[in-house]
Amino acid sequence: MKFLARILLGAALIFAGIGHLTFSRATFQAQVPSWLPLDADFVVVASGVVEITLGLALASLGHRQALIGLITALFFIAVFPGNIAQHLEHKDAFGLNTDEARLIRLFFQPLLVLWALWSTGAWAWIRGVGSKRTEREANQGDA
């Protein structure tokens, strides 16, 4: 189940990334916050390249899947201000042409973060790294 979820997430990121670079480029520009001091087209192209790279990594790098999952989750967090800006600035894009629709969309971003962490085992990996660190620190205190 996790394997299929990871592959689907990877495919969705590749598709979205291709959209950033081609057929939805102008639409994605609507999600770039007006306060961001970067060219909107640059942000769209750069994020598209990142999405394609993450999607390919999710689909192919099984031995590093937890790390890729963590990076993907951080990417979803990093682009969240764009979704907030779209809502606050009342920008229409992707059929989100009401404040209610844009607000509802905000609740899906945390689900993408959780999807990335769960499907790759990153959540368990993070907890394992944290528990090993805590155990190591406790052992050093005993010495």
Side-chain angles (χ1 to χ4, degrees), residues 66-67 70 121-137:
L67 178 60
L70 177 60
W123 182 255
W125 180 68
I126 293 166
R127 293 184 68 202
V129 169
S131 67
K132 288 178 186 175
R133 186 178 308 131
T134 303
E135 183 180 311
R136 189 173 36 238
E137 290 168 359

Side-chain angles (χ1 to χ4, degrees), residues 60-85:
S60 63
L61 296 178
H63 64 287
R64 300 256 188 231
Q65 67 184 10
L67 178 60
I68 299 300
L70 177 60
I71 293 168
T72 302
L74 292 172
F75 173 77
F76 288 141
I77 292 167
V79 299
F80 191 56
N83 299 342
I84 295 170

